[in-house]
Amino acid sequence: MRLRFILSETWTSLRRNVPMILSVMLVTFISFLFIGASVLMQAQITKAKGDWYDKVEVVVWLCPDGTSQSANCSSGKAPTDNEIVDIENKIQDELGSVVSKVTYVSREEFYKNTFLKQYPNGIYQGRTLTAADMQASLRLKLTDPTKYQQVSEVLSGVSGVEEVQDQRQIFDPVFNVLNKATVVTVVLAGVMIVVAVLLTGTTIRMSAASRKNETEIMRLVGASNWTIRLPFILEGMTASMIGSLLAVGALSGIVQIFITDGIAQTVQWMPFITQKTVWLAAPALVIGAMVLSALSSAVSLRRYLKV
């Protein structure tokens, strides 16, 4: 009987306070849209890092034929096969615990498998290049990508090595931009959460004020504190639940339109979040919105009704 009464009072309050309920729904929707965006952006960064860092290599560029700015290439000639073997042996002897795999990429292989894919006609800066214009390299797969500096220290001064390049340096600027964007969305989400909490508390307090006579009567007939509070708390939780569900729906649409059907169709080299990521985050967003609403309403009612 008590549960039926509480639900009846909640439904009555929802019907009476449609404009205020809509305002709670709207602010919850905007707040959790920002929160969800920051969560998805961080998931995207984590997914990209996991995929790219698994594939990242240290590239040891060997000296080319001709002039080079590196002191290790003062001879003006590319290293011979024996010199390349010596470099590989040095890697094995001094970096065996750091380097898990060494792959030699000849000039011809680099030209065919990499250069021509980026420049199909072999034209670069107005010149038509051939395999003879390329550089051979050693591709090192590390057991721990963060130990690049150790590899650089060992190989930078070796004769025949022009440059030691950490491919992570290519990705780090991208991650920095994404991390900054995440910070911005988190800050905005934090501001909107504060606004949502304040608005929810104010709305529920106004709802209680409009029914002050009813709550006084309930108190006089012996209704418990929670029997009086619960309809108002459930009112706020219902509005917040609907607002957060709308936010989840909007996030799902954004991912589908702009990522799955948009960027992911043209950018094949980067892994992207999917609808699964959205729905994995959805329960936390909805429950979080309802919990915040319940806490805000309970505190506001405790002060207003003093029960």
Side-chain angles (χ1 to χ4, degrees), residues 67-174:
T67 58
S68 172
Q69 295 181 349
S70 174
N72 298 335
C73 305
S74 56
S75 66
K77 294 182 178 180
T80 63
D81 291 343
N82 289 333
E83 289 173 332
I84 294 173
V85 171
D86 290 339
I87 295 172
E88 291 177 337
N89 290 336
K90 186 177 183 65
I91 293 171
Q92 185 64 39
D93 295 339
E94 300 186 28
L95 298 168
S97 61
V98 177
V99 178
S100 61
K101 183 180 180 182
V102 180
T103 304
Y104 172 71
V105 179
S106 67
R107 291 183 289 188
E108 290 75 14
E109 289 175 318
F110 179 79
Y111 182 74
K112 179 181 178 181
N113 299 327
T114 302
F115 185 80
L116 287 180
K117 288 183 179 180
Q118 296 182 1
Y119 308 97
N121 297 320
I123 300 175
Y124 177 73
Q125 294 184 348
R127 296 175 54 203
T128 301
L129 303 182
T130 65
D133 300 307
M134 303 293 109
Q135 286 177 260
S137 63
L138 297 173
R139 306 297 174 107
L140 311 184
K141 186 71 174 177
L142 306 188
T143 55
D144 181 355
T146 62
K147 293 183 178 179
Y148 157 75
Q149 193 60 39
Q150 188 174 342
V151 177
S152 179
E153 290 174 358
V154 171
L155 297 178
S156 291
V158 175
S159 178
V161 174
E162 182 184 43
E163 181 186 5
V164 181
Q165 183 185 63
D166 182 10
Q167 289 185 335
R168 290 186 309 159
Q169 296 173 348
I170 301 172
F171 303 136
D172 284 344
V174 177

Side-chain angles (χ1 to χ4, degrees), residues 151-217:
V151 177
S152 179
E153 290 174 358
V154 171
L155 297 178
S156 291
V158 175
S159 178
V161 174
E162 182 184 43
E163 181 186 5
V164 181
Q165 183 185 63
D166 182 10
Q167 289 185 335
R168 290 186 309 159
Q169 296 173 348
I170 301 172
F171 303 136
D172 284 344
V174 177
F175 291 137
N176 288 337
V177 171
L178 292 176
N179 283 325
K180 290 177 181 177
T182 302
V183 171
V184 171
T185 56
V186 168
V187 171
L188 290 174
V191 172
M192 293 306 301
I193 285 176
V194 173
V195 172
V197 169
L198 293 176
L199 180 60
T200 300
T202 301
T203 302
I204 298 304
R205 190 163 59 246
M206 292 174 65
S207 178
S210 68
R211 300 171 61 191
K212 188 173 183 179
N213 292 336
E214 295 178 31
T215 57
E216 288 295 335
I217 293 172

